[in-house]
Amino acid sequence: MNYIDLRSDTVTKPTPEMREAMAAAEVGDDVYGEDPTVNRLQELSAEKTGHEAGLFVPTGTMGNLSAILAHCQRGDEVILGKSAHTYLYEAGGLSVLGGVHSCQLPNQPDGSLALDEIEAAIRPDDPHQPITRLITLENTHNHCGGTFQTVAYMHNISEFAHARGLKVHLDGARVFNAAAALNVAVNKLTSPMDSVTFCLSKGLSAPVGSVLCGSKTFIDRARRARKILGGGMRQAGVLAAAGIIAIDKMTSRLGEDHLRARVLAEGLTKIPGIELDEGTPATNMIFFNLTDEANMLANQLAKKLKDIGILVGVDGERRIRLVTHFWYKEDDVDKTVNAFNTILK
Ligand code: TLP
């Protein structure tokens, strides 16, 4: 069956143009720094995000972990959100492999961390306690609903952190979605950060890869961390070629995914048993709960939808996540609303 797949934007397959570029890519051994296509992707990424250097990594998870390992020593502490992807869904890599402690603060509804709560969490100079070293943010914020934080916030937190001798890393897996929602160049959000990871393989449709950006000295340390994690790739230019197209051609169209999410959400509001989160969708994610009226749980609904060709993300007993992306087309919106209607009415 040809499924309409709303489970995630990670399901996006490469575009025909990407496949052509991958086949034609000039390659070399990237561990020797000799892959011209990887080098081009890294330079382009650094330029876009307003940083000195970039590092191509296989996944967002490895980008975030390489960043944490490059910023922190064993026994250091990272302040991050309770709902952060790095805290919830990266298998605790920072503690498992880095010996880095985490301090989790509640996320605000837009995914941000409150500065007064960060202030209160910063450790005193005391040998009983870990050393606060890094703040990690997420923008857009996945678990908070694909919400975005503003340019002013990114500047404020960076100034706040630097005044206290701390660094800030951004998990910007979908930071181009945040930039599209705010209608600003992405560097407005990323340049105040000490480092940023963004993903090529989510809404931007590349098959594999993320890029970590920061200063030259930071990226030198992160390259060593990537090697430790087994992420030193060889002729990775075949992948980077798709990444270059992801940045050049796919970032400017993300607003379409946001619009499609809004139209889909409007259709869903009228269906009994569906209670959309307030303000959803902020970008390309729709979150909702099933009420008693639905008379079924999220996994039961997901199974029924699958039987008629629609895949959705189950995010809790009664909670569903839908993510729009390049391969979710205009026609699919009506088909999706009709499918929900058929099952829930
Ligand atoms: N998110 C995936 C799942 O892991 C939940 C998804 O379907 O949304 N940061 C953020 C904010 C992410 O959403 C993800 C992936 C990552 C990092 C990790 O990226 P990968 O999967 O490339 O390691």
Side-chain angles (χ1 to χ4, degrees):
M1 194 183 304
N2 227 351
Y3 288 104
I4 292 177
D5 197 342
L6 286 160
R7 287 172 301 169
S8 182
D9 46 10
T10 59
V11 301
T12 45
K13 293 181 179 152
T15 62
E17 191 182 354
M18 286 177 181
R19 287 189 189 265
E20 270 174 41
M22 291 169 80
E26 245 189 285
V27 294
D29 190 325
D30 181 48
V31 173
Y32 292 117
E34 289 173 2
D35 189 303
T37 312
V38 170
N39 290 341
R40 207 143 52 82
L41 170 67
Q42 292 175 162
E43 282 156 23
L44 176 65
S45 302
E47 186 197 310
K48 284 276 172 198
T49 58
H51 286 280
E52 280 176 4
L55 183 71
F56 186 43
V57 286
T59 62
T61 301
M62 192 184 287
N64 289 332
L65 184 52
S66 300
I68 291 171
L69 295 179
H71 283 301
C72 301
Q73 304 287 318
R74 292 179 71 79
D76 284 350
E77 186 169 69
V78 177
I79 295 176
L80 80 184
K82 262 195 171 77
S83 302
H85 192 277
T86 298
Y87 177 61
L88 291 178
Y89 302 124
E90 293 174 18
L94 77 172
S95 320
V96 178
L97 300 171
V100 176
H101 203 249
S102 67
C103 168
Q104 312 103 39
L105 299 180
N107 286 94
Q108 303 303 301
D110 67 354
S112 63
L113 300 176
L115 298 193
D116 57 338
E117 292 185 16
I118 299 179
E119 180 84 75
I122 296 172
R123 306 277 189 165
D125 181 10
D126 173 348
H128 296 86
Q129 303 197 29
I131 299 164
T132 308
R133 184 76 63 194
L134 178 69
I135 301 167
T136 291
L137 303 174
E138 190 176 312
N139 196 5
T140 63
H141 201 291
N142 185 343
H143 206 64
C144 288
T147 46
F148 55 87
Q149 296 133 64
T150 63
V151 173
Y153 177 76
M154 304 307 272
H155 275 281
N156 288 347
I157 197 158
S158 152
E159 271 172 33
F160 169 94
H162 295 156
R164 288 154 183 79
L166 306 178
K167 302 283 187 195
V168 193
H169 170 69
L170 174 65
D171 174 356
R174 297 183 182 83
V175 72
F176 284 98
N177 290 83
L182 290 160
N183 200 16
V184 297
V186 79
N187 66 5
K188 297 272 185 259
L189 296 166
T190 52
S191 64
M193 304 287 99
D194 294 287
S195 58
V196 53
T197 305
F198 69 88
C199 291
L200 302 162
S201 64
K202 300 197 166 57
L204 304 185
S205 293
V208 177
S210 291
V211 188
L212 172 61
C213 297
S215 69
K216 283 202 173 81
T217 48
F218 167 80
I219 290 297
D220 286 346
R221 290 199 303 277
R223 182 173 288 107
R224 179 176 286 270
R226 183 186 71 172
K227 188 71 192 160
I228 291 169
L229 299 173
M233 298 180 283
R234 302 295 176 175
Q235 286 74 30
V238 289
L239 302 173
I244 291 169
I245 293 172
I247 296 174
D248 280 344
K249 302 277 175 74
M250 305 301 276
T251 52
S252 57
R253 59 150 307 284
L254 289 171
E256 279 176 39
D257 299 340
H258 300 179
L259 176 64
R260 218 149 276 158
R262 284 201 296 277
V263 178
L264 173 57
E266 261 166 44
L268 295 177
T269 46
K270 296 168 201 138
I271 299 176
I274 290 183
E275 190 173 60
L276 291 166
D277 281 11
E278 209 185 308
T280 200
T283 53
N284 68 332
M285 293 184 185
I286 300 171
F287 281 85
F288 64 83
N289 290 316
L290 291 174
T291 64
D292 289 343
E293 216 182 326
N295 225 357
M296 70 182 85
L297 298 176
N299 57 4
Q300 294 166 321
L301 174 61
K303 161 103 189 36
K304 285 179 195 284
L305 285 166
K306 187 176 178 186
D307 291 342
I308 54 173
I310 315 266
L311 301 175
V312 299
V314 173
D315 199 48
E317 211 177 43
R318 292 183 165 272
R319 196 158 173 75
I320 298 273
R321 181 184 79 159
L322 308 176
V323 188
T324 57
H325 50 73
F326 179 70
W327 296 106
Y328 185 70
K329 301 297 184 192
E330 206 177 337
D331 289 357
D332 295 333
V333 178
D334 275 350
K335 288 186 199 154
T336 312
V337 175
N338 290 342
F340 273 95
N341 249 323
T342 311
I343 296 167
L344 289 171
K345 255 197 171 158

